[in-house]
Amino acid sequence: MAFEARDIGIGMIGCGTVGGGVATLLRDQAALYERRLGRPLRLRKVLVRDAKKARQGGAASELVTTDADAFFATADMPIIVEVAGGAGTIHEHVRRAITTGRHVVTANKSLLAAHGAELFALARRHQVSIAFEASCCGGIPVITALHAGLMANRIDALYGILNGTCNYILTEMTQQRKPYDVALSEAQQHGYAEADPTLDVSGMDAAQKLCVLASLAFGAQVTSEQVRVIGIDQLELTDIRFAAEMGYDIKLLGIAEAVEGKLSLTVQPCFLHKDVMLAQVRGPFNALSVYGHATGQTMYYGRGAGALPTASAIVSDVINLASGGYPHAFAALNLWSDQQPAARIIDHDDLCSRFYVRINAMDRPGTMARVTQALGEAGISLSAVMQHESGEGKFVPVVVLTHRARWGSLRQALAKVEALDVIDGRPVCIRIVDLPDG
Ligand code: NAP
Ligand code: HSE
């Protein structure tokens, strides 16, 4: 559907946190957008589940419908913004938008991670495009950086704080000593969390974003099943405190690294030295460090969640579509996941890193000798050992930092440590990330 009318008609599926932000921007900044684009943007129809709910922003009640057929029958609506989330019916709505010749703007990383390649191919066949800046890192233009600004680079690695909810929770737990549940409920009240917040705290939301970013950066199709995911829901306050004591912060990091022609893809809580810029990203803010072979490190920082930052990415996509720039790039460049081979993933056991290990050990003669023997036999070298003073004959937390080690070797050694009669419970192990020079 070409942009024939004088104004640019927009249909919107969903009008919750992000949709409310989009409606607000379209209403409050109408004159600015018209000046920039030379034509007005017009919200024509809004599809929701419940027509009676009060709506934020400029989504006037006469625009709102629950009837999908009426929505898609609306004339002069060449752009459809999808800010509903999830797959299922929404996947069908996005397919319908494309097959009826509409460009799509979406914030839905779970849809893209699961069906991106299929939807990109469908869009290409129907000569429309899909813009998805809002799907990763909210208001920070990381997708544009990868597909436009860094085009001259071979990308070697991405390190990202990709989930605002988790970063908010970790910041509140670390700095304010708030309990996990209190911090999570605050993140929900601020509108950062997904409708189902287990997607955030389990690390799955960050994994879906990592799929979208890694596909674009490394030119390979990546699925969420290929990402090793550990959330923050299992993290204990004890480890946050030990990290602080040793000069580190714990961050949920999404990491995609090229290793000998393969990709390593992980989302997990990681130790980051406090002096590193990524460690200083706090609250709902996100950041992405991209290592390009020519640029070295470039870093993108800003609000990764919330109504207006995310709406900014959506409306920017709408303007770039309406100007004709984005559709041209989408048609001309071989960048999107339907054009890429499947990613080759490194065996996670072969990942090499430093690690933090915490064990609950009996404070009596010979305990540490048995632990270090199990680690030593696996070729694991220790760089620090820490135990607070305690009463003899009791179980106490003992913390060990390793030098760089192969994860598979450490995993096997820790199974032997766990089996010792002087050890209580499972050892806790967290990756220590040393960012490349750059
Ligand atoms: P939300 O507040 O839960 O809003 C979802 C909206 O979608 C609601 O208006 C809901 O309708 C509508 N909806 C859901 N299923 C529908 C269906 N089958 N048909 C029609 N309408 C449907 O969610 P949100 O936080 O705005 O997030 C929306 C999307 O943006 C998600 O993909 C999310 O991952 C992404 N995102 C969110 C943020 C953020 O900070 N919140 C940031 C970046 C990206 P009713 O209002 O009638 O229930
Ligand atoms: N729930 C997501 C987050 C929203 O907290 O980062 C942004 O995608």
Side-chain angles (χ1 to χ4, degrees), residues 107 109 134-138 162-166 191-195 200 205 209 284 286 304-306 310:
K109 56 269 169 173
S135 65
C136 299
C137 299
L162 305 177
N163 186 275
T165 302
C166 290
Y192 306 144
E194 296 300 302
D200 296 292
D205 175 83
K209 291 168 181 165
N286 281 190
T310 313

Side-chain angles (χ1 to χ4, degrees), residues 13-19 47-51 53 55 82-86 89-90 93 107-109 134-135 138 191-195 205 304-307 310:
I13 307 175
C15 194
T17 304
V18 179
L47 179 65
V48 293
R49 286 177 301 202
D50 177 358
K53 263 192 206 170
R55 303 286 163 192
E82 185 273 303
V83 280
T89 314
I90 295 304
H93 286 340
N108 191 340
K109 56 269 169 173
S135 65
Y192 306 144
E194 296 300 302
D205 175 83
T310 313

Side-chain angles (χ1 to χ4, degrees), residues 263-342:
L263 271 184
S264 162
L265 299 165
T266 57
V267 169
Q268 55 192 8
C270 294
F271 271 43
L272 266 182
H273 197 275
K274 280 184 190 303
D275 293 344
V276 167
M277 272 197 287
L278 268 182
Q280 290 158 22
V281 174
R282 304 215 165 87
F285 283 79
N286 281 190
L288 182 71
S289 270
V290 182
Y291 287 78
H293 86 280
T295 53
Q297 181 189 194
T298 55
M299 187 167 164
Y300 309 87
Y301 167 85
R303 290 187 184 275
L308 288 185
T310 313
S312 155
I314 295 275
V315 177
S316 298
D317 272 350
V318 167
I319 294 172
N320 288 323
L321 269 169
S323 73
Y326 188 81
H328 183 72
F330 191 83
L333 302 174
N334 294 322
L335 283 178
W336 321 101
S337 55
D338 62 307
Q339 299 159 311
Q340 315 293 1

Side-chain angles (χ1 to χ4, degrees), residues 3 15 17 23 27 29 31 65 82 90 96 140 145 181 198 220 232 234 259 274 295 302 355 367 369 379 385:
F3 301 116
C15 194
T17 304
R27 181 195 62 196
Q29 303 302 329
T65 180
E82 185 273 303
I90 295 304
R96 190 167 175 187
I140 320 169
D181 291 343
T198 49
I232 64 162
Q234 306 299 317
V259 185
K274 280 184 190 303
T295 53
F355 292 95
T367 295
V385 178

Side-chain angles (χ1 to χ4, degrees), residues 21 65 111 162 174 224 291 301 336 343 352 360 367 391 405 410 418:
T65 180
L111 181 68
L162 305 177
T174 306
S224 349
Y291 287 78
Y301 167 85
W336 321 101
C352 286
N360 219 12
T367 295
L410 179 61
E418 187 180 344

Side-chain angles (χ1 to χ4, degrees), residues 3 6 48 108 110 117 128 145 213 219 241 260 279 302 335 337 385 390 407 434:
F3 301 116
R6 200 191 94 68
V48 293
N108 191 340
S110 67
V128 293
L213 294 168
R241 290 192 182 140
E260 293 165 6
L335 283 178
S337 55
V385 178
S390 68
W407 164 243
D434 298 301

